[in-house]
Amino acid sequence: HAGRVVVVGGGFGGATAAKYLKRANPAIEVILVEPAETFYTCPFSNLHLGGLRSMDEIAHGYDELQDRYGVRVIHAMAEDVDAAAHKVHLSTGSELDYDRLVLSPGIDIRWNALEGYDEAAAEKAPHAWKAGRQTETLRAQLEAMEDGGTFVMVAPENPFRCPPGPYERASLVANYLAQYKPKSKVLILDAKDNFSKQGLFMEGWEQLYGDRIEWVGLSNDGRVTRVDAERLEVETEFGTVHKADVLNVIPPQKAGWIAERAGVTDDSGWVPVKPDTFESRQVEDIYVIGDATVAAPMPKSGFCANAQAKVVAAAIAASLESRPAPEAYWTNTCYSLVGPEYGISVAGVYRVVDGAIAEVEGSGGVSPTGAPDTTRALEAQYAVGWYNAICQDTWG
Ligand code: FAD
């Protein structure tokens, strides 16, 4: 008996962890618990919003993990964790014993943290920050919008899932509007004064979209404090009311709720982990990866979730054989499409220094500013290559 590992969540972190545990040692029994039979990736969901990709083209299933790698996949929700007894309770009524538990539940929305933004409001003013039905609702609203309308996006404070995501979304919405509704605009109301790859985004916006995209940061009263989803209105800190034709609220977030049930979250709502293994700092034998964790300076990206999963798989395989975990390091690249043929990126390499995750000095960086169109076109191709490769690595 090489041990049993239960993995909760079949997204970027969980699916990768399940697969790489089996690759590390096929004798480990690996059970993946994920309610959805089809997973829609957030990466490239902005292309769907912009009318550049179908939902089918961002859909992934679990057959390969099951048939090729021997992962047992159970389509259910993990409803509770009894850490003392090493048991996970499922929505099917059954329970699973584990030797090690991996949680990769992604994010949950902090409902009502932004006044007026609850689950009902999200039907009228979608967040589309978990890909699937919300993405389709927002796309349908954008398609139904009259020419001359304003797409208003509310962007959150740090930390949140996918730091460049809102700005890629604004870009691809603007690209769609430029073609199909040329009198329309994008207004971003931001709770921050700085955002990921800001200089590169702004350079691209000016070049491709002129003044179609307006960004209002914190210092210029960009922070939204109240949402009226019924009237499609938002109010800022200093009382300015903005009326939207389509309203996309990207609200404050926290770790997926099962992390709280398992007792691994702290007051921040996120999960502190031991940096070299991503085992919970609070509960033994529970490993947490992906967006749910506090892993800064690593961003909450699919790339990082996948990289963290591989480190966890190696650490668990080692611990089940009472070997020390191998030395950990991680890489990340976040590509963003400013236009279909205009890509930019930020990359980083990370390792543990003095007990904390740190960026390796002299590594990483962002795309050059002022680069020729050919560089941007190449990076757009790399983005597609990255998407195909990571999905193959995760579910294939
Ligand atoms: P997820 O991939 O969300 O997976 C979580 C899974 O857990 C879900 O399938 C869910 O159903 C399941 N789950 C939750 N609770 C339970 C439970 N109790 N029981 C069982 N299952 C459960 N990242 C990039 O690297 N590159 C990009 O270009 C990029 N673009 C993005 C664009 C947008 C618009 C957004 C919103 C995000 C983007 N991201 C990108 C970020 C990326 O989507 C996340 O970082 C990544 O999904 C995190 O992986 P995860 O495993 O933590 O969570």
Side-chain angles (χ1 to χ4, degrees):
H1 179 62
R4 178 193 268 186
V5 183
V6 174
V7 180
V8 172
F12 281 90
T16 307
K19 172 173 164 180
Y20 276 80
L21 276 159
K22 275 296 196 186
R23 280 179 58 155
N25 180 359
I28 300 173
E29 186 189 0
V30 180
I31 304 176
L32 177 65
V33 181
E34 161 63 52
E37 291 190 17
T38 302
F39 182 89
Y40 294 97
T41 59
C42 283
F44 279 30
S45 66
N46 286 333
L47 277 86
H48 179 72
L49 281 179
L52 300 168
R53 237 177 217 240
S54 70
M55 289 301 279
D56 282 348
E57 289 170 309
I58 58 167
H60 302 274
Y62 296 94
D63 289 352
E64 286 267 310
L65 286 182
Q66 212 153 215
D67 302 343
R68 186 151 167 220
Y69 294 96
V71 174
R72 194 174 135 208
V73 180
I74 299 179
H75 290 296
M77 206 70 177
E79 290 199 326
D80 211 346
V81 176
D82 181 342
H86 281 55
K87 283 184 196 300
V88 180
H89 298 269
L90 304 187
S91 51
T92 53
S94 60
E95 51 181 39
L96 294 171
D97 293 315
Y98 65 81
D99 295 302
R100 303 288 185 278
L101 176 64
V102 178
L103 299 179
S104 193
I107 55 151
D108 265 320
I109 306 298
R110 284 180 189 272
W111 300 115
N112 292 305
L114 182 54
E115 193 189 324
Y117 200 69
D118 57 14
E119 279 165 283
E123 297 297 315
K124 303 258 159 65
H127 52 78
W129 222 239
K130 293 183 181 187
R133 212 176 51 79
Q134 278 270 311
T135 317
E136 292 178 290
T137 306
L138 190 58
R139 170 67 188 161
Q141 291 180 352
L142 189 60
E143 281 189 278
M145 187 176 90
E146 304 248 330
D147 191 9
T150 305
F151 179 97
V152 175
M153 173 191 288
V154 177
E157 276 175 59
N158 295 318
F160 63 101
R161 158 175 281 183
C162 195
Y167 314 97
E168 179 188 70
R169 175 173 292 178
S171 307
L172 295 180
V173 167
N175 180 67
Y176 165 76
L177 296 177
Q179 272 180 285
Y180 297 97
K181 306 181 190 206
K183 290 184 287 212
S184 312
K185 290 199 142 199
V186 176
L187 171 65
I188 308 169
L189 298 168
D190 209 324
K192 310 176 283 303
D193 266 331
N194 299 294
F195 62 85
S196 175
K197 293 180 275 193
Q198 185 165 357
L200 287 163
F201 272 112
M202 292 200 155
E203 182 185 312
W205 290 348
E206 204 183 311
Q207 189 180 328
L208 300 180
Y209 309 120
D211 55 7
R212 190 177 301 280
I213 301 176
E214 185 186 354
W215 175 77
V216 182
L218 175 69
S219 301
N220 291 313
D221 196 22
R223 192 159 85 92
V224 167
T225 52
R226 195 177 59 81
V227 174
D228 186 337
E230 213 56 60
R231 303 167 72 111
L232 295 183
E233 281 177 7
V234 296
E235 188 179 333
T236 62
E237 201 169 7
F238 296 107
T240 312
V241 173
H242 297 272
K243 173 93 183 92
D245 294 282
V246 174
L247 179 57
N248 173 211
V249 177
I250 304 168
Q253 300 151 30
K254 60 178 182 178
W257 58 268
I258 191 69
E260 204 178 321
R261 304 286 307 182
V264 293
T265 52
D266 68 12
D267 289 346
S268 71
W270 304 102
V271 179
V273 291
K274 298 175 187 167
D276 37 5
T277 59
F278 275 61
E279 187 179 10
S280 158
R281 280 187 190 273
Q282 294 167 196
V283 184
E284 214 179 3
D285 294 337
I286 302 185
Y287 294 71
V288 189
I289 49 180
D291 291 357
T293 61
V294 180
M298 268 188 268
K300 296 188 188 302
S301 73
F303 196 126
C304 282
N306 171 279
Q308 291 159 7
K310 291 171 184 169
V311 167
V312 158
I316 290 177
S319 90
L320 288 171
E321 292 176 6
S322 305
R323 286 185 284 115
E327 191 188 336
Y329 70 91
W330 305 265
T331 55
N332 178 61
T333 306
C334 286
Y335 290 99
S336 299
L337 291 167
V338 182
E341 281 158 32
Y342 192 120
I344 57 175
S345 65
V346 53
V349 183
Y350 309 89
R351 55 192 285 263
V352 181
V353 179
D354 297 332
I357 299 166
E359 198 158 355
V360 172
E361 224 176 296
S363 74
V366 295
S367 312
T369 48
D373 291 350
T374 48
T375 305
R376 305 299 186 216
L378 265 180
E379 284 224 79
Q381 282 181 32
Y382 298 158
V384 175
W386 168 80
Y387 181 80
N388 294 338
I390 195 135
C391 291
Q392 171 66 34
D393 192 30
T394 304
W395 294 278

